[in-house]
Amino acid sequence: MPSSTPHPADSNGSPPLEAGTPAFSPLYQQIKGLILQSLQSGEWKPGEAIPSEMELAARFRVSQGTVRKAVDELAAGNLLVRRQGKGTFVATHAEHQVQYRFLRLVPDSGDQASEGPAERRILECRRTRAPADIARLLAIRSTDAVVQVRRVLAFNGTPTILEDLWLPGAAFKGLSAEQLADYRGPTYAMFELEYGVRMVRAEEKIRAVAADAAQAELLDVSAASPLLSVERLAYTYNDTPMELRRALYRTDTHHYRNELS
Amino acid sequence: MPSSTPHPADSNGSPPLEAGTPAFSPLYQQIKGLILQSLQSGEWKPGEAIPSEMELAARFRVSQGTVRKAVDELAAGNLLVRRQGKGTFVATHAEHQVQYRFLRLVPDSGDQASEGPAERRILECRRTRAPADIARLLAIRSTDAVVQVRRVLAFNGTPTILEDLWLPGAAFKGLSAEQLADYRGPTYAMFELEYGVRMVRAEEKIRAVAADAAQAELLDVSAASPLLSVERLAYTYNDTPMELRRALYRTDTHHYRNELS
DNA sequence: AAGTGGTCTAGACCACAAC
DNA sequence: TTGTGGTCTAGACCACTTG
């Protein structure tokens, strides 16, 4: 039930009549918000189908075209996936499609397929208090608990990524090194399944840095080798930051791929 | 006039009847192709308004909704820009909006505005034969002429980017160091204006590398400093590569920003 | 055959910009 | 006031998937 603003039933042109600026919001945006709420609340789980367009239209008392536009935008933002003839599904990190949805590092050969899943080596997994800078980025208090994970990812036996994950402790109670090591598939898929945390978008800041001694050893490169520093802040619904990831990529056999338009 | 496939006038369901797979193409895709052709042919120039949706609908003999969908996709791909109440415009690099549409390097402060336009220092601008690797990427013969430009971009007096541009000689006859140095605004805007070449999308490969002596001096950093290597291949319409750009970014005061979803 | 998303149309009305 | 893009509806039909 969208808040009535433009509707053919409303033959009168009554304005929204809210406080301040009317802030006109199209019907389909309101529908989008409602669908988002259902996603957030877990009414439909990752990988599952949401109700058909007709059903949603009936539920929200709008035309099919209007829910279509709402779903279109959610699909454009990778929150939903449409499959003709089958239905519309909640996006997930668990589908092998592109293996790692947020990882832009690809082998120079371009042959992504020849490269099996990354071998994971967990170096550390501990709960601690959030350092000030981490807390700020995760939008939590610096007295709050966080889980810190350090690990190395290797491709075909070559250690390629060294990364630290920082997760809000409240949402990731019980996360262990074993769980991180054992889960088959993307870590973000495990987060969906085990903790109900769905990463929806992310921002990355990329730099070139020189490896220090410890980093060099872990990545099996010589000291001071140039490495790609990738700081990723990943968000769930509602623009809530849920993971800070600071990674170092070897770029001697791989590169970070980006598309601009 | 789109090739008839689905149309209410076609009461019969005659199949496309082409060779091989029918390869069904929706009407709006065909319209999209026609609009693309007009863009390509220069019928509408960068920054100009294209005909209104109603006019296009009449011209192509389809409904407004169909051209709307075609235009929507072109706008999503940043080829067109819609402005409510004013019209739909051909996208251009000349608008100061985001200054440099394809440059993802931003100051660490985040304060993009405080940073004036880059100061350009042209080190070299010459015509030569395309080296084999360059020719391959630009999809030209290695006997073909190319223009090579080397320059340094500085922000607030700090040299930050060292880059080589490789351009197909055929399309850039007469390009000179003076022209590159004197033009106010993005280089891609100058390409649009002077050479009718519009960069529409690009692919980047990013690595971390160590500065050699010459590079270090030009960027005013110590030798072997880590630098971000960004190789960009920029395309015009029709997926035709029109520029190869190999750049080194200093990332001590700036970083490469990327959004994932 | 039934159900889903995908396309297309026709027409009404709204928000925005410019004259 | 006029013209533009933006929203919304209702209904028809197409393409794809599954039983």
Side-chain angles (χ1 to χ4, degrees), chain B residues 6-8 26-28 62-63 66 69 84-86:
Chain B
H7 212 262
L27 235 194
Y28 77 88
V62 298
S63 77
T66 299
K69 179 140 190 178
Q84 183 172 152
K86 301 181 73 173

Side-chain angles (χ1 to χ4, degrees), chain B residues 49-247:
Chain B
I50 71 172
S52 75
E53 295 182 348
M54 288 309 246
E55 285 175 293
L56 289 174
R59 166 162 160 182
F60 298 132
R61 314 291 206 81
V62 298
S63 77
Q64 188 202 9
T66 299
V67 347
R68 169 161 275 277
K69 179 140 190 178
V71 170
D72 275 346
E73 291 208 350
L74 292 168
N78 289 331
L79 291 173
L80 296 175
V81 177
R82 318 191 74 140
R83 286 186 216 144
Q84 183 172 152
K86 301 181 73 173
T88 300
F89 299 78
V90 181
T92 171
H93 289 263
E95 280 155 21
H96 46 290
Q97 321 175 93
V98 266
Q99 202 86 20
Y100 300 102
R101 213 178 97 189
F102 285 170
L103 181 61
R104 291 287 184 271
L105 194 70
V106 297
D108 288 342
S109 67
D111 191 6
Q112 187 107 32
S114 74
E115 194 166 63
E119 305 119 46
R120 284 191 280 257
R121 183 174 148 221
I122 311 297
L123 304 178
E124 195 174 338
C125 177
R126 56 189 251 268
R127 301 180 72 81
T128 175
R129 297 220 174 281
D133 59 331
I134 308 288
R136 188 177 49 78
L137 289 167
L138 288 178
I140 57 178
R141 288 183 301 270
S142 63
T143 53
D144 287 347
V146 287
V147 179
Q148 187 210 341
V149 176
R150 168 165 291 194
R151 63 180 187 176
V152 172
L153 304 187
F155 295 105
N156 300 329
T158 306
T160 307
I161 298 178
L162 166 62
E163 60 188 2
D164 283 302
L165 281 56
W166 298 86
L167 303 158
F172 289 89
K173 286 191 211 301
L175 181 62
S176 70
E178 293 69 43
Q179 194 175 17
L180 281 159
D182 294 348
Y183 185 83
R184 299 273 157 213
T187 300
Y188 288 144
M190 192 262 282
F191 289 173
E192 288 177 355
L193 203 61
E194 303 291 333
Y195 300 94
V197 173
R198 271 166 275 176
M199 303 304 183
V200 151
R201 68 177 193 91
E203 298 170 358
E204 293 190 330
K205 293 183 180 181
I206 303 169
R207 291 184 167 79
V209 300
D212 69 24
Q215 294 160 351
E217 187 178 347
L218 288 167
L219 285 174
D220 195 20
V221 296
S222 44
S225 287
L227 296 173
L228 206 64
S229 156
V230 179
E231 178 179 290
R232 178 193 301 165
L233 193 53
Y235 297 82
T236 350
Y237 299 115
N238 264 60
D239 278 327
T240 309
M242 281 299 273
E243 182 205 56
L244 173 65
R245 194 179 281 214
R246 286 185 170 150

